[in-house]
Amino acid sequence: MTTVVEGVLERITYANEENGYTVARVDTGRGGDLLTVVGSLLGAQVGESLRMTGRWGSHPQYGRQFTVENYTTVLPATVQGIRRYLGSGLIKGIGPKTAERIVDHFGVRTLEVIEDDPKQLIAVPGLGPKRTARIAAAWEEQKAIKEVMVFLQGVEVSTSIAVRIYKKYGDASISVVRNQPYRLAADVWGIGFLTADRIARAVGIPHDSPDRVRAGLQFALSQASDSGHCYLPEERLIADAVKLLQVDTGLVIECLGQLAAEPEGVVREAVPDPEHPEGTVTAVYLVPFHRAELSVAGQLRRLLRCEEDRLAAFQDVDWEKALGWLAARTGAELAPEQRDAVRLALTERVAVLTGGPGCGKSFTVRSVVELARAKRARVILAAPTGRAAKRLAELTGAEASTVHRLLELKPGGDAAYDRDRPLDADLVVVDEASMLDLLLANKLVKAVPPGAHLLLVGDVDQLPSVGAGEVLRDLLAEGGPVPAVRLTRIFRQAQQSGVVTNAHRINAGTPPVTQGLEDFFLFVEDDAEEAGKLAVDVASRRIPARFGLDPRRDVQVLTPMHRGPAGAGALNGLLQQAVTPARPGLPEKRVGGRVFRVGDKVTQIRNNYEKGANGVFNGTVGVVTGLDLDEQRLTVLTDEDEEVGYDFTELDELAHAYAVTIHRSQGSEYPCVVIPVTTSAWMMLQRNLLYTAVTRAKRLVVLVGSRRAIAQAVRTVSAGRRCTALDARLAGRVAAAPGSRSDPEEGYEPEPDPEVEPVGP
């Protein structure tokens, strides 16, 4: 039977940020133990009086408990309740100590004062006019957010998402949610189509509404971009949408036609069929990806054809003399294929250099830069990640930056440098180019000035970019216009490294050697859960003890996937306990099932153009250096040496990074990597995944897991290419459609990146 229970919320034991499910303890005022309540308590704050409707039940482990179906709140009326309420982190700027001072001053009138005349707060010791104004503003915002939360309570939308909805729409939040719920999927990060669809059902939007079907089609394309595809074949998109939406095929086809007619809907275009090159397939793109693909192809062709040459001095240089000078300067001779790469980079407007570890890519890049500088050329060096940029700077002795920082991306994703305001450079070198997704590559290529040279350097056998596209592979496609050199010779010094030789063995489909080496080890453990625990012990205790490496700075655990007993999610919790355990007096912030502490290794999981000097991007790694419970703010020092602040409401943008997925490790290099390889990740085990993980290590690799899983990874070649037509556009095999809204030669600017950023598996 449904029952009503009243009580004061004393503490929240657990809260799931995704669905709002909460386990809490409530004081019913009848003495004895606190009551355990479970259910959706979205927005409920410690100290509030709750009137809860629900049912009694019993848990086999935790005993009697009350399951909440809905609730209303009443502000606390006692001094003790008000103190708990204000000190719970409800209001930004009021922590436990400040709450105590305010309540000591105003007593039971405290909430009335904050509500009706917050200027009186200035009488409290330690509160000046600015802080008083901020507290008043935070109180008003919290009231409005609470109203949105109460409205969303019935559709199980999490607290953090309710906060984001309010920040996006303000006072119009409830109106948008009620009347245009599918807007949320496009406008609010963290809300996908499925959540918007659940809200739409709750507010009465019909199952076969055209708005729903159009939103579902765009969601299916967005999901495809998360998996790396720039487009989907029309038949596949229709089939995916019918399955997702459970509506008639005819309705989906009709709504797809409507989307294709909208300027910012979708683009349909005939492109070569990847499986049958002689035939074509109707590709359906989200507009930003279509514009970007046209733009990259058009800009690269324009650079290649440009008559101006900012490195014209190298067209008739005496190469024997130049390379002799270079050898004297660097103390080493270039191998023949390295010589070819150097000449290519300095004589062609666009060139690609690829090759595996130990084949001399780095030394070749240094040689290109040395020769260009000798001719007083303006050289710009960049890489997709902060770690890769630092490594490039150390290698060349010149300044290097991330691509994002180089282009000075602004809020909204626009770059300060583009075709109208190009970079001041004669040579642009981009390392780790396998990480360049289509949207970022477009921004980069547009900023290269006419006549300048662009050299893209990367290992095409690694995993493709986390974001959509396979830019490096497309540039290397047979029959394309971009000249390239592939380095294949492993140098003698590199041959002595077990890490390098095993990387090449894996890439060739041969199992790695795991015995008799000083820098490559295997700990055999067939059980996935035990393998996860063993990986944690190896990373946090055994490696530091034997090799003197710092477990936080020098050792990185890389996993095939996020979920599972040996996945990044589970291992991060265990590694945090081992490396950064809770300590008395050390502040911490709990967010659902996670807890953040000073010293934690963290990573950004979405592109946020509003943060930092030029945005903080998916994959940026850092360390938590500050945690202010009063200001509800956490500070991260990124691997680009920038301090970035996060409000507690933004912590779902951060994930712990003691263990990260192999996809997330791209572009980074670590002294040591520990790789759990278990059969629980069977579907993810592929050759380029293991190869990428091993090539992240500079000195030491430790595999933990089963020989069967390693064998599966080595023999499994990645199935199928991503859906991209960049290679065909570069080769001139895509005809511009009649009435096409974009000219392939024009290089259109794509719209700001889609709200839901690709994050990989």
Side-chain angles (χ1 to χ4, degrees), residues 199-349:
I199 295 170
R201 276 201 310 274
V203 297
I205 289 180
H207 182 73
D208 58 356
S209 160
D211 284 345
R212 176 175 184 265
V213 177
R214 287 192 293 267
L217 282 161
Q218 289 180 307
F219 171 70
L221 287 171
S222 177
Q223 287 286 91
S225 73
D226 287 356
S227 299
H229 300 298
C230 298
Y231 70 82
L232 280 182
E234 186 174 46
E235 289 184 5
R236 179 171 158 190
L237 172 62
I238 291 168
D240 287 353
V242 168
K243 184 177 177 182
L244 168 73
L245 300 166
Q246 297 293 298
V247 295
D248 290 341
T249 303
L251 178 59
V252 170
I253 293 171
E254 182 183 337
C255 289
L256 180 57
Q258 293 167 4
L259 273 176
E262 293 177 9
E264 299 304 321
V266 299
V267 177
R268 288 193 292 198
E269 185 179 21
V271 302
D273 187 339
E275 296 180 9
H276 306 93
E278 300 304 316
T280 61
V281 63
T282 300
V284 185
Y285 290 83
L286 288 172
V287 171
F289 294 104
H290 186 255
R291 287 179 177 162
E293 204 171 81
L294 286 172
S295 174
V296 171
Q299 293 287 354
L300 285 173
R301 282 202 301 271
R302 187 174 289 108
L303 289 173
L304 285 162
R305 290 199 303 254
C306 184
E307 292 183 5
E308 181 186 353
D309 187 355
R310 294 186 176 217
L311 295 178
F314 288 100
Q315 294 298 338
D316 53 8
V317 75
D318 183 336
W319 282 103
E320 287 304 316
K321 185 177 176 182
L323 294 172
W325 172 88
L326 181 68
R329 185 171 177 83
T330 61
E333 291 276 352
L334 290 170
E337 56 188 15
Q338 290 178 305
R339 287 175 165 233
D340 292 343
V342 169
R343 291 183 64 166
L344 198 70
L346 295 172
T347 57
E348 296 284 352
R349 310 297 193 281

Side-chain angles (χ1 to χ4, degrees), residues 435-448:
M435 289 186 67
L436 286 177
D437 62 51
L438 180 67
L439 296 176
L440 183 58
N442 179 44
K443 291 179 171 69
L444 170 70
V445 172
K446 279 195 302 184
V448 178

Side-chain angles (χ1 to χ4, degrees), residues 253-538:
I253 293 171
E254 182 183 337
C255 289
L256 180 57
Q258 293 167 4
L259 273 176
E262 293 177 9
E264 299 304 321
V266 299
V267 177
R268 288 193 292 198
E269 185 179 21
V271 302
D273 187 339
E275 296 180 9
H276 306 93
E278 300 304 316
T280 61
V281 63
T282 300
V284 185
Y285 290 83
L286 288 172
V287 171
F289 294 104
H290 186 255
R291 287 179 177 162
E293 204 171 81
L294 286 172
S295 174
V296 171
Q299 293 287 354
L300 285 173
R301 282 202 301 271
R302 187 174 289 108
L303 289 173
L304 285 162
R305 290 199 303 254
C306 184
E307 292 183 5
E308 181 186 353
D309 187 355
R310 294 186 176 217
L311 295 178
F314 288 100
Q315 294 298 338
D316 53 8
V317 75
D318 183 336
W319 282 103
E320 287 304 316
K321 185 177 176 182
L323 294 172
W325 172 88
L326 181 68
R329 185 171 177 83
T330 61
E333 291 276 352
L334 290 170
E337 56 188 15
Q338 290 178 305
R339 287 175 165 233
D340 292 343
V342 169
R343 291 183 64 166
L344 198 70
L346 295 172
T347 57
E348 296 284 352
R349 310 297 193 281
V350 182
V352 174
L353 171 62
T354 189
C359 291
K361 287 198 308 295
S362 296
F363 187 67
T364 306
V365 170
R366 179 184 164 192
S367 301
V368 170
V369 172
E370 289 278 4
L371 283 170
R373 277 190 185 146
K375 295 291 187 182
R376 290 184 164 74
R378 286 162 296 188
V379 181
I380 284 180
L381 305 172
T385 67
R387 281 176 180 261
K390 278 185 178 178
R391 193 172 69 245
L392 186 58
E394 291 164 4
L395 166 74
T396 58
E399 185 180 343
S401 69
T402 63
V403 176
H404 301 93
R405 194 176 290 276
L406 170 68
L407 300 177
E408 295 180 14
L409 295 186
K410 298 175 288 188
D414 294 328
Y417 293 95
D418 55 22
R419 193 174 168 194
D420 296 328
R421 186 198 175 200
L423 296 162
D424 183 17
D426 302 316
L427 171 65
V428 179
V429 179
V430 182
D431 200 9
E432 295 289 352
S434 63
M435 289 186 67
L436 286 177
D437 62 51
L438 180 67
L439 296 176
L440 183 58
N442 179 44
K443 291 179 171 69
L444 170 70
V445 172
K446 279 195 302 184
V448 178
H453 289 221
L454 172 64
L455 175 62
L456 298 172
V457 184
D459 186 347
V460 75
D461 293 322
Q462 288 182 21
L463 288 168
S465 57
V466 173
E470 274 186 303
V471 175
L472 187 63
R473 190 178 296 276
D474 284 342
L475 264 56
L476 288 166
E478 192 175 339
V482 180
V485 169
R486 181 166 191 145
L487 304 180
T488 56
R489 174 189 162 192
I490 307 172
F491 286 89
R492 185 176 300 168
Q493 185 179 355
Q495 288 174 2
Q496 297 167 2
S497 162
V499 175
V500 171
T501 54
N502 273 333
H504 284 277
R505 286 176 67 90
I506 291 166
N507 200 32
T510 307
V513 175
T514 56
Q515 292 180 325
L517 299 174
E518 295 181 356
D519 60 354
F520 202 103
F521 301 90
L522 168 63
F523 287 81
V524 177
E525 175 53 68
D526 290 336
D527 181 80
E529 189 168 345
E530 291 303 315
K533 292 176 183 175
L534 180 55
V536 169
D537 187 50
V538 167

Side-chain angles (χ1 to χ4, degrees), residues 8 88 141 178 306 337 493 547 550 584 626 681 686-687 716 739:
V8 176
S88 67
E141 181 178 89
R178 181 179 283 125
C306 184
E337 56 188 15
Q493 185 179 355
F547 295 97
D550 183 280
Q686 295 177 349
R687 186 180 300 169
T716 305

Side-chain angles (χ1 to χ4, degrees), residues 552 573-590 595-600 627 656 658:
R552 186 189 290 109
L574 296 173
L575 284 161
Q576 185 190 39
Q577 289 174 28
V579 179
T580 316
R583 293 190 180 93
L586 184 74
E588 57 180 45
K589 171 61 181 174
R590 189 168 293 278
V595 60
F596 290 94
R597 302 186 183 113
V598 171
D600 272 341
L627 211 162
H656 290 92
Y658 298 99

